[in-house]
Amino acid sequence: TGVQAAKVKANFVPSKEDYQKVYNRIAEIMDEADDYDDGSYGPVLLRLAWHSSGTYDKDTKTGGSNYATMRFEPESLHGANAGLNVAREIMEKVKKEFPWISYGDLWTLGGVAAIQEMGGPNIPWRPGRIDGTAAEATPDGRLPDASQGSDHLRNIFYRMGYVRIYTSRFDFLPTLPSVTTSHPIKGEVVMLSLPLGTYSRAAARKDLDLRACSILSLWTPSLTLRRIHRFNDQEIVALSGAHALGRCHSNRSGYEGPWTFSPTTFTNDFFKLLFDEKWVWKKWNGPKQLEDKSTGSLMMLPTDYVLVQDKSFKKFAKAYADDMELYFKDFSAALARLFELGVPTQQFVSSEPWKMRTVDEQKA
Ligand code: ZEM
């Protein structure tokens, strides 16, 4: 009966195979893009997944892919999201066929399918995002602005990541160096020590907030540490290499053109081209962008060019230009992390991310 059917539906717990079906459908639709751009919706779907995840703010724990708030105004109308209605409309078709999937899961799975089907590495992924409301939509300005420099890039990506609070009793903490902090009530000095390696690595990344050390209780003295796991320079560079895919549209961002000669195949060409071509400012009425001197058919955004100008970024960009395997490995890890920003761990249906299979792998 209808009542039974509704009940079955309500109790429906999708399995990994059900998510694989959604992946397969996305992969299919991605290719139904005859007259669109370079014949694939893959790049714009990846951009949707990125813009839904990249709004995360670790300090307020807002944004990120969890609530898929780009469905709502004004977030859907933010300048950075111009053109993503194309991707959202494609995903709406898939959602109609698989109404049990949350938008956040659907959109990030779309990003995974885009990378994997366009020849990129496997992106570990797992479901668990839930649909939110318009009240959870994020303010404008959280996504990077392509006209800016390295400080801006770092500020944007450093805002993402997550904060983990460690509480520890004194007794387990071994070794050097130690940091002294004073007891907030009794005024006595206590020592906080960390394994040397952990401390120096964390300090180098500026992601260990020792100011937050405090004593939790007078009777069971323990310390809290705020460890900030934010994106670092290596991850910023790795993620930026997604511009191997797709193109800029003057009616969306104002910029124009593709970054590589193969915008529907994921490669490390973005980095190779950054080093191998001579990049000159394009002479036109549009926003400041670069073009390759030899053909004038490729482009770089100011933020892309920063990756070979900034010393720390450049080191990673060079490593990725020279080593595709290294690039795939690092990109996969960074993207998987990006897609999970702000999703409470307990929401995930599995403790380990899954490997979704490509269409080709399923044929084999
Ligand atoms: Zn993009 N990106 N992006 N990006 N992006 C565009 C297009 C695409 C920046 C940016 O301003 C722009 C990441 C990072 C950054 C993709 C994926 C990822 C466009 C052109 C701009 C202006 C939009 C248009 O006109 O259609 C900036 C400043 C970034 C900072 C680092 C990350 C991270 C990405 C994924 C992991 C993709 C796939 C596109 C191509 C979209 C398409 O429609 O072809």
Side-chain angles (χ1 to χ4, degrees), residues 111-112 115-116 121-125 331-333 335-336 339 354-356:
V112 169
I115 291 291
Q116 296 189 172
N122 166 254
I123 311 294
W125 178 88
F331 179 77
S332 168
L335 193 68
F339 287 172
W354 295 340
K355 179 185 187 301
M356 304 309 290

Side-chain angles (χ1 to χ4, degrees), residues 43 47 50 144 146 153 240 242-243 246-249 252-253 259 303:
R47 188 157 186 253
W50 139 238
L153 267 191
S240 299
H243 285 167
R247 56 171 61 243
C248 294
H249 306 76
R252 296 181 186 175
S253 60
W259 289 267
T303 41

Side-chain angles (χ1 to χ4, degrees), residues 36-38 40 42-48 50-51 80 82-84 115 118 143-147 152-153 156-157 236 238-243 245-257 259 263 301 303-304 307 331 335 338-339:
Y36 177 81
D37 276 5
D38 308 286
S40 170
V44 80
L45 291 183
L46 174 61
R47 188 157 186 253
L48 173 66
W50 139 238
H51 278 208
L84 289 181
I115 291 291
M118 293 192 284
L143 292 160
D145 169 358
S147 71
H152 171 77
L153 267 191
I156 292 282
F157 282 92
I236 295 173
L239 286 170
S240 299
H243 285 167
L245 296 168
R247 56 171 61 243
C248 294
H249 306 76
S250 55
N251 59 347
R252 296 181 186 175
S253 60
Y255 298 98
E256 185 56 44
W259 289 267
L301 298 165
T303 41
D304 298 317
L307 304 181
F331 179 77
L335 193 68
L338 176 75
F339 287 172

Side-chain angles (χ1 to χ4, degrees), residues 334-354:
L335 193 68
R337 203 181 150 195
L338 176 75
F339 287 172
E340 294 201 348
L341 287 177
V343 186
T345 317
Q346 66 272 19
Q347 269 180 225
F348 286 119
V349 307
S350 103
S351 59
E352 291 297 322
W354 295 340

